[in-house]
């Protein structure tokens, strides 16, 4: 125990805390403070006050130190890639190598990892192929150290937040202990992952929000501005790492609305002042974060200027930005004309180019005509010639004038290699039975009226020319009225496992049926540089968000696989294997410290119970004694705020369709631990108050908290091998260091 | 006792003629030529099947909602004497004479008709004027989409009826009895709970009441709002399960235990099986997860191909698959590893949790085996085979440990149908699992079975239960084969309790995902507010008479406008009140808030959840939300007239505008009438003229 607080100080001296703009900030604070002052009639001497302040700082330093010590202990172990380091380490390398990639999360987290690697002398040459690969001579400690550094700050942040909300050192201390000694938080902070960065920003936002709330009595002062803008910065950080950052934004938003509503109802403030308040918040909590968030993307696009593995996820126009991509610095004619040779790309991610080849559809699958598919790679079979529907003359004949294709024209698409026309008819498509089959038909361009398609540009007026790369076009079959699209389904072997192309009778506008022209060859037209067509920054920003959102919703769980469900998480049902399987491996297993987690779970239930009892009592107008009233306020306001955080970071996962993992719960777990700290401190104080007649009543509180602290520390001693690594037999074996600790069958370590 | 003789008997009746008139008009609009068209219209094809199932007492499962709605429809069929014999296979098929179309469509139509006077009552109960109440009812009356939807065997009108009934009952402070037709009914229920909770909270704060009194109030509310709906909900399922006791096409989705409780089907086979599995038992093993299709553990003579198409090698041993049909090759014998015999000794030695077993395939007498060879389609898992000794230093590894997942204690006996078990391989601790992949042609497109090495927790695809079971008696292979072909004997009957059946049914209804099939008329919630979409319900086989689900666009647009005005005005008032400026007298303000909470709130809870749903959505899903908008419309209009019009002149002008607006709504309703009732064949030209929005799909015959 820290010497500054151990035993020597009376309880009432511990509680009131004077932050820089602390004491009279909130009603709760005021109540507690005045009540405490009333209870200790002799004002403590100045010397003792200074001593107390020094003690508080020492305590904070101790908590911080302990957190850093636990996080940095054995950070270098294991010396191989663990779990998702293979992704995020790799993405860090991409930044160092400046190659473009695609990920479902916004770029800030990976950019910081890359930066940390760069500064610590990592050269980006390690491949990060799969978990278990040895780092050898590559410098990885910079990146791990950076993540551990940010992860270490979670504990002091939580400590300060709880201190501000409850004005009780004991509550803060309990929270800090829960987080320091949680093996889950510890493990998650020790590797090259996005989670420590994300949690750092979430907690920073929470802390600065609480701080600026307690500055509310001194609006527009320097600390007020400082904490308000720091909240905004942290929000931008949280959202810039993962979209989960939206939950903390929601929390800050709700808090701000409540705050403004309160100010607005204060008739002593003029409307101008309220307007100033509103503007300040709009500036710091909306404009500033948005600007920062956009800036991270600007940096992201600037740094990643080389073509890389992420190209294919983006549109043709986007790819033209990347050096090394075949569209980079290319020059092609801008407007589509008859006689042009083109490739047509589907706008949906990972579908590819309209393709045909000499092979026919097999017997029994529609008409036995030439196959039409989509193909992901560049190939000469992707080339089509655009022709007028009613003449077969060669439009490239120099004697004809150039005629541009316009929105609404009836055209024919002739496959360049085989001279067959793109064709559709009333036969069912090979895989999607409700759609029509698309084939290549005709000889040397002579077919029938089923080869006619109307070309339309989405959202344009009739008669406009069609731009290469930029125009989003649809091809509508004239006879059946269906739309050319790709279902995205993989054809069997006869179709070379390319994707199915169909003509869909449902005229709904989906990306599957929208195409754009990518390559364009027409000797009669002047080439222009593609740089002219390059999308503007807002367009790139929008596109990358669309791709990220689609990528996220594309992460669907498979039916027959075991998947983690949100209800597993708070009960610590199952962990994640970070490294190693067999008894000879170095094993790390991400699992919350069960003592901490089950205490948290119990605390939530207890909180709901005690909170509703108190709320009903107040609503019934019960006259509470001053001390109880003060504690109830702490419980309802401080606890309520934290409970809201837990709710917002946990329940939305029940609505998500994507694959979920255990580590998604950790931000919620932080809030849950803060709630535990506040709850037990308040409950034990209430107990002590209730038993005041008993001589040892005061002791109940101290002993209660101390036993919780020691219990947590002891459980950490038991479970620490989960985080710091275990070698040797598995837990079933009585020889194992973890023997007897596998309390649930579902834990596998 | 003779008092009634001394005084005259007086009956005083208080008849609100407008209410009677509204009911009459409602009935007329909904019931007029109800049997037309005499053909299957749109979703009747879907609900009709269920009516037939009720009539034939065949069990079915529909994930769209609890069975009350289906029961209401079936009641119509029952009253009309429908025998259930009609093939509901195609929209537009003519009804045969045994289908009592009128009585089948009667109940939804009545519900639709009664919604009209109910709207009147609700607005009155909200303490708005008679005029506003009439307005709401008249709007309900002429809303084309509501008329169309009420006149067919569909559930929405019944749902709307009970939604309104719930609101009205709560307003009248009767016991609020909330029935669930579809799960959409939940939304209104949640709203009512929220409103009741706010009222209760105020009640708690009312310090003039004693504690006991408050407690009684709360208890009464809890009973009315929580207990009664739950009891009713259970009751519906109880009746549902009582009525449907025969097995049918949806059996396969349910567990073996559930199927065995239905008449016919599996019960016919499992009746009389011995309950406890013993060494020597002959069993079929069904996978509990049953996806993509329910299937049984199976093996046959064929072996895995030596080399797969992708170049990987196999053990070339006998294939083990999961087969979705009953087959003699699905029989396995539970063998004691320590003994040779394949018959049940007397007395039978029962198999318990944790026992070591071998599973011997009945027809080939090879035993189930797994080893460190990659499975054909899931290379991360182990191949499962029936062991053939090729003498190539690949020993048999055919010991499995039995784990009963749903055991009560660690000494539980393995029971037929009831026990859910896992087979854990002793040498490799792999778990027998259905991977869900279909094998290629060499495996006859049956499902792949693998040994899952890294069993990351419990998953139903690793759990099996015994379905068919008998004690093996023949030691000789030839005799045993004959035995396997013959049906089982001995009689022990088993029944599942109602709660167990209810819970299973409920669970399956919640998790059942019908395939996300795209539909020509499906739409997204955003299109509903502005009526950008319609649904063609029916087209006359020869003429161009047709029925569409198409709303009265004037009402839809003005409903949305009213909602926006309500939201803006409320925000304005709230802000002003916060600054202590009270524009409205207190009672008008409370009325305004309550009306908004119910109507705007009703709209929100019936509309917004659709944005989170992943299933195929149709325009008719919006109708419940629309009715709440219609209730809000006159409320907003009256408020404008009462509080925003400053002078008598303004008020008169406003009234004139309202009358003009209502006439235009009537006009639109009349214009769209042929598409609502489908009784008049329009010329292509007239049809084109009705296509006011490009996105409306009106069918025009080409000649």
């Amino acid at each position: 125990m820290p010497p500054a607080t151990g035993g020597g100080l009376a309880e009432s001296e511990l509680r009131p805390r004077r932050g820089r703009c602390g004491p009279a900030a909130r009603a709760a604070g005021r109540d507690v403070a005045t009540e405490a002052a009333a209870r200790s009639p002799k004002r403590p001497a100045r010397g003792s006050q200074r001593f107390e302040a020094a003690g508080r700082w020492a305590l904070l330093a101790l908590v911080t130190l302990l957190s850093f010590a636990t996080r940095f202990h054995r950070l270098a172990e294991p010396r191989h890639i663990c779990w998702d380091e293979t992704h995020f380490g790799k993405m860090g390398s991409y930044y160092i190598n400046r190659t473009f990639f695609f990920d479902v999360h916004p770029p800030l987290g990976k950019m910081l990892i890359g930066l940390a690697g760069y500064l610590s002398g990592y050269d980006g040459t390690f491949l990060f192929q799969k978990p278990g690969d040895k780092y050898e001579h590559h410098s990885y400690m910079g990146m791990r150290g950076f993540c551990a550094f940010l992860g270490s700050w979670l504990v002091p942040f939580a400590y300060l937040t709880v201190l501000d909300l409850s004005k009780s050192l004991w509550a803060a201390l309990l929270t800090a202990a829960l987080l320091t000694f949680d093996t889950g938080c510890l493990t998650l902070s020790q590797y090259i992952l996005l989670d420590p960065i994300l949690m750092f920003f979430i907690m920073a936002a929470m802390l600065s929000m609480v701080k600026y709330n307690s500055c509310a009595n001194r609006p527009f002062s320097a600390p007020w501005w400082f904490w308000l803008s720091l909240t905004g910065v942290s929000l931008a950080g949280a959202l810039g790492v993962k979209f989960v950052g939206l939950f903390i934004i929601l929390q800050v938003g709700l808090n701000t609305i409540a705050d403004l509503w309160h100010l607005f109802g204060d008739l002593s403030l003029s409307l101008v002042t309220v307007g100033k308040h509103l503007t300040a918040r709009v500036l710091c909590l909306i404009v500033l974060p948005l600007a920062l968030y956009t800036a991270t993307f600007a940096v992201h696009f600037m740094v990643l200027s080389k073509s890389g593995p992420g190209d294919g996820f983006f549109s043709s126009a986007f790819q033209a930005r990347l050096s090394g991509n075949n569209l980079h610095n290319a020059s092609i004619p801008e407007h589509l004309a008859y006689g042009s040779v083109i490739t047509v790309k589907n706008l949906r991610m990972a579908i590819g180019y309209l393709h045909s080849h000499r092979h026919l559809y097999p017997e029994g699958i529609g008409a036995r005509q030439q196959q039409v598919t989509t193909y992901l790679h560049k190939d000469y079979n992707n080339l089509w010639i655009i022709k007028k529907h009613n003449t077969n003359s060669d439009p490239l004949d120099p004697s004809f004038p150039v005629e541009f294709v316009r929105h609404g024209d009836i055209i024919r698409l002739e496959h360049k290699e085989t001279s067959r026309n793109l064709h559709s008819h009333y036969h069912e498509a090979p895989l999607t039975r409700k759609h029509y089959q698309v084939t290549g038909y005709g000889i040397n361009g002579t077919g029938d009226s089923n080869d006619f398609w109307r070309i339309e540009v989405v959202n344009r007026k009739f008669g406009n020319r069609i731009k290469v790369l930029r125009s989003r076009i649809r091809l509508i079959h004239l006879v059946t009225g269906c739309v050319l699209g790709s279902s995205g389904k993989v054809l069997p072997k006869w179709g070379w496992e390319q994707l199915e192309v169909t003509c869909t009778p449902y005229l709904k506008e989906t990306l599957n049926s929208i195409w754009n022209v990518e390559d364009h060859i027409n000797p009669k037209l002047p080439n222009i540089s593609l740089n002219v067509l390059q999308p503007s920054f807002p367009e790139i920003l929008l596109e990358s968000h669309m791709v990220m959102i689609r990528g996220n919703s594309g992460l669907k769980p498979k039916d027959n696989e075991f998947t983690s469900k949100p209800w597993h998480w708070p009960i610590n049902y199952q962990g994640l294997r970070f490294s190693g399987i067999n008894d000879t491996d170095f094993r790390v297993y991400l699992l919350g410290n069960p003592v901490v987690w089950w205490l948290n779970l119990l605390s939530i239930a207890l909180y709901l119970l005690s909170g509703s009892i108190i709320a009903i009592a107040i609503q019934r107008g019960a006259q509470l004694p001053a001390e109880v009233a003060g504690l109830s306020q702490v419980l309802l306001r401080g606890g309520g705020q934290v409970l809201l955080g837990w709710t917002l970071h946990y329940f939305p996962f029940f609505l998500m369709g994507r694959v979920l993992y255990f580590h998604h719960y950790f931000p919620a777990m932080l809030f849950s631990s803060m709630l535990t700290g506040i709850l037990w401190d308040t409950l034990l104080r209430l107990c002590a108050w209730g038993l005041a007649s008993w001589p040892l009543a005061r002791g109940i509180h101290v002993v209660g908290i101390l036993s919780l602290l020691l219990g947590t520390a002891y459980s950490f001693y038991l479970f620490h091998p989960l985080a710091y690594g275990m070698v040797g037999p598995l837990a079933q074996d009585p020889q194992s260091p973890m023997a007897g600790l596998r309390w649930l069958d579902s834990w596998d370590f | 006792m003779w008092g009634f003789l001394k005084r005259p008997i007086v009956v005083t009746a208080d008849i609100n003629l407008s209410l009677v008139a509204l009911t009459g008009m409602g009935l007329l609009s909904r019931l007029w030529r109800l049997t037309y068209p005499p053909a299957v219209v749109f979703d009747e094809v879907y609900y009709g099947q269920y009516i037939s199932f009720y009539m034939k007492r065949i069990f079915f499962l529909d994930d769209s909602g609890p069975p009350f709605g289906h029961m209401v429809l079936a009641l119509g069929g029952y009253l009309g004497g429908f025998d259930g014999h009609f093939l509901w296979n195609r929209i537009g098929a003519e009804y045969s004479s045994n289908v009592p179309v009128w009585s089948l469509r009667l109940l939804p139509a009545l519900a639709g008709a009664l919604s009209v006077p109910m709207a009147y009552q609700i607005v009155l109960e909200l303490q708005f004027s008679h005029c506003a109440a009439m307005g709401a009812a008249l709007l309900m009356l002429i809303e084309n989409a509501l008329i169309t939807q009420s006149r067919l065997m569909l559930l929405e009108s019944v749902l709307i009826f009970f939604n309104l009934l719930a609101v009205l009952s709560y307003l009248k402070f009767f016991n609020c009895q909330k029935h669930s037709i579809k799960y959409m009914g939940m939304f209104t229920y949640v709203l009512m709970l929220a409103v009741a909770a706010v009222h209760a909270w105020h009640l708690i704060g009312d310090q003039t009441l004693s504690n006991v009194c408050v407690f009684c109030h709360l208890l009464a509310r809890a009973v009315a709002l929580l207990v009664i709906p739950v009891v009713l909900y259970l009751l519906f399922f109880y009746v549902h399960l009582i009525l449907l006791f025969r097995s049918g096409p949806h059996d396969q989705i349910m567990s073996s235990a559930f199927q065995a409780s239905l008449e016919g089907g599996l019960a016919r086979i499992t009746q009389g099986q011995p309950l406890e599995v013993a060494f020597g038992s002959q069993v079929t093993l069904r996978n509990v997860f049953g996806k993509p299709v329910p299937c049984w553990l199976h093996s046959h003579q064929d072996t895995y191909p030596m080399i797969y198409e992708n170049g990987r090698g196999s053990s070339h041993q006998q294939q083990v698959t999961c087969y979705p049909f009953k087959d003699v090759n699905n029989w396995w014998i539970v063998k004691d590893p320590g003994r040779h015999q394949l018959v049940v000794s007397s007395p039978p030695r029962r198999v318990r949790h944790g026992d070591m077993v071998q599973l011997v395939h009945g027809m080939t007498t090879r035993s189930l085996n797994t080893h460190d060879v990659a499975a054909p389609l899931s290379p991360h898992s182990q191949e499962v085979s029936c062991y053939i000794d090729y003498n190539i230093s690949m020993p048999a590894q055919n010991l499995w440990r039995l784990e009963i997942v749903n055991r009560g204690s660690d000494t539980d006996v393995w029971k037929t149908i009831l026990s859910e078990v896992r087979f854990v391989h002793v040498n490799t601790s792999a778990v027998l699992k259905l991977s869900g992949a279909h094998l290629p042609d060499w495996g006859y497109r049956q499902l792949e079975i693998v040994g899952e090495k890294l069993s990351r927790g419990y998953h139903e695809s690793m759990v099996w239960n015994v379905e068919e079971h008998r004690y093996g008696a023949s030691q000789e292979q030839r005799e045993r084969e004959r035995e396997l072909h013959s049906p089982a004997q001995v009689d022990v009957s088993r029944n599942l309790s109602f709660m167990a059946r209810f819970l299973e049914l409920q669970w399956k209804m919640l998790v059942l995902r019908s395939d996300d099939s795209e539909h020509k008329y499906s739409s997204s919630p955003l299109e509903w507010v502005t009526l950008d979409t319609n649904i063609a319900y029916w087209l006359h086989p020869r003429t161009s008479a047709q029925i569409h689900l198409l709303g009265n666009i004037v009402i839809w647009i003005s409903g949305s406008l009213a909602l926006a005005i309500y939201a803006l005005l409320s925000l304005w008032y709230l802000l002003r009140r916060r600054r202590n400026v009270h524009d409205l007298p207190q009672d008008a303000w409370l009325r305004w808030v309550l009306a908004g909470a119910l109507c705007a709130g009703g709209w929100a809870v019936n509309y917004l959840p659709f944005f989170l749903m992943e299933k195929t959505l149709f325009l008719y899903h919006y109708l419940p939300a629309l009715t709440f908008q219609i209730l809000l419309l006159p409320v907003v209009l009256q408020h404008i007239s009462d509080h925003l019009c400053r002078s008598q002149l303004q008020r008169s002008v406003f009234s004139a505008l309202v009358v003009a607006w209502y006439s235009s709504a009537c006009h639109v309703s009349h214009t769209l009438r042929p598409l609502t009732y489908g009784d008049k064949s329009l010329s292509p030209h007239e049809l084109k003229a009705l296509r006011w929005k490009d996105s409306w799909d009106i069918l025009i015959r080409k000649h």
Side-chain angles (χ1 to χ4, degrees), chain B residues 399-415:
Chain B
L399 290 181
W400 300 83
R401 198 177 57 249
L402 178 83
E403 281 183 9
I404 301 178
V405 178
N406 57 347
R407 62 183 182 273
S409 73
D410 277 354
T411 53
D412 259 17
V413 177
W414 185 6
K415 299 198 185 77

Side-chain angles (χ1 to χ4, degrees), chain B residues 296-316:
Chain B
W296 292 270
L297 190 68
H298 178 97
S299 182
H300 40 235
Q301 287 284 354
D302 301 77
T303 56
Y304 287 110
M306 194 83 88
I307 303 285
Y308 296 123
E309 284 159 353
N310 57 10
R312 280 194 293 119
S314 81
S315 67
H316 198 49

Side-chain angles (χ1 to χ4, degrees), chain B residues 8 45 73 115 132 214 248 257 281 345 458 488 490 521 589 598 604 657:
Chain B
V45 74
L73 293 181
S115 301
V214 168
S281 279
S345 58
Y458 171 84
V490 199
Y521 290 106
W589 167 247
L598 284 176
L657 283 178

Side-chain angles (χ1 to χ4, degrees), chain B residues 466-578:
Chain B
V466 171
E467 196 163 281
E468 294 170 70
H469 174 222
R470 68 180 144 224
Y471 286 155
S474 346
Q475 188 58 273
E476 284 300 309
Q477 174 63 13
R478 192 61 59 76
E479 274 177 56
R480 197 157 49 230
E481 278 177 26
R482 210 174 307 125
E483 196 177 30
L484 290 173
H485 279 286
S486 67
Q489 321 92 16
V490 199
D491 196 279
V492 191
S493 80
R494 273 177 298 279
N495 265 324
L496 221 51
S497 72
F498 164 68
M499 273 322 271
R501 292 174 41 154
F502 163 71
L503 288 177
E504 180 178 345
L505 184 60
Q506 181 69 76
W507 178 245
K508 296 276 178 188
M509 281 166 79
L510 288 179
V511 298
L512 186 70
R513 288 270 166 277
S514 40
D515 288 342
D516 235 355
S517 55
E518 55 183 335
H519 192 281
K520 191 171 179 193
Y521 290 106
S522 66
S523 49
S524 74
L526 276 181
E527 292 169 291
W528 299 342
V529 181
T530 46
L531 192 61
D532 276 341
T533 171
N534 69 324
I535 305 178
Y537 267 14
W538 174 79
L539 176 66
H540 194 279
R542 287 169 301 280
T543 70
S544 64
Q546 50 193 299
I547 295 181
H548 284 262
L549 181 70
L550 189 55
N552 185 326
I553 187 129
V554 172
I555 297 180
W556 288 56
I557 300 283
S558 31
S560 305
L561 273 181
L563 193 72
I565 292 174
Y566 180 85
L568 289 176
L569 270 181
S570 299
L571 187 66
W572 174 247
Y573 288 145
L574 262 179
L575 289 176
R576 303 249 303 168
R577 286 175 70 86
R578 191 76 189 153

Side-chain angles (χ1 to χ4, degrees), chain A residues 261-267 269-271 274 432 434-435 493 504-506 508 556 559-563 573-577 581 615-616 618-621 655 657 745-746 748, chain B residues 201-207 209-211 214 289 291-292 309 433-436 454-459 461 517-523 527 574-576 578-580 612 614:
Chain A
W261 187 245
H262 171 73
L263 290 173
F264 190 71
D266 185 353
L267 293 181
L269 297 178
S270 73
L271 277 181
V274 175
T432 316
K434 286 179 173 177
H435 295 184
K493 222 166 172 199
T504 152
Y506 308 124
K508 286 266 145 37
K556 285 269 157 36
D559 250 358
N560 285 31
E561 292 300 320
F562 173 82
T563 47
Y573 178 74
Q574 192 164 44
L576 267 172
R577 215 179 253 135
I581 299 169
I616 288 178
I618 294 177
Q619 179 78 3
R620 286 296 296 162
L655 299 176
D745 277 348
S746 48
D748 33 17
Chain B
W201 188 245
H202 286 305
L203 195 73
I204 293 175
D206 185 353
Q207 283 156 28
L209 296 173
S210 74
N211 280 342
V214 168
F289 190 52
K291 281 180 191 164
E309 284 159 353
K433 177 186 168 177
L434 169 69
S435 79
L454 306 173
S455 63
R456 302 188 47 232
Y458 171 84
H459 193 274
S461 62
S517 55
E518 55 183 335
H519 192 281
K520 191 171 179 193
Y521 290 106
S522 66
S523 49
E527 292 169 291
L574 262 179
L575 289 176
R576 303 249 303 168
R578 191 76 189 153
R579 298 298 291 183
N580 234 349
L612 296 175
E614 286 178 7

